[in-house]
Amino acid sequence: MSDGLKEYARDFVGINHPGGTLRLRAMVLGPKSNDDLARDMLAARSKKSKDTWPLADAVRAVAEARSEGLSLLWNEQK
């Protein structure tokens, strides 16, 4: 999995997004599956660039970003 994909997934779920706490909560705690979020992320990416990633890699990147986001939210609560 490329570093570009990992960073894009982090941006997509709101980790690197300025003022992204609300977005982060919606993405991390929301009802969508990792598969659905990865498809949404790839669809958003395809509007901006012809370069894209395989769905399986995107699902893994979203899962990692959601996990990281959950840790950030959990630490924010403490």
Side-chain angles (χ1 to χ4, degrees), residues 30-55:
K32 285 195 171 188
S33 69
N34 291 337
D35 287 0
D36 290 340
L37 282 178
R39 289 179 209 286
D40 292 349
M41 181 181 77
L42 292 176
R45 171 72 176 190
S46 70
K47 292 178 183 176
K48 297 178 183 177
S49 174
K50 290 185 179 185
D51 294 335
T52 191
W53 300 283
L55 180 60

Side-chain angles (χ1 to χ4, degrees), residues 50-76:
K50 290 185 179 185
D51 294 335
T52 191
W53 300 283
L55 180 60
D57 289 346
V59 171
R60 279 195 304 276
V62 165
E64 287 178 12
R66 284 180 101 180
S67 179
E68 181 181 350
L70 186 59
S71 293
L72 291 172
L73 290 174
W74 180 258
N75 289 331
E76 184 180 281

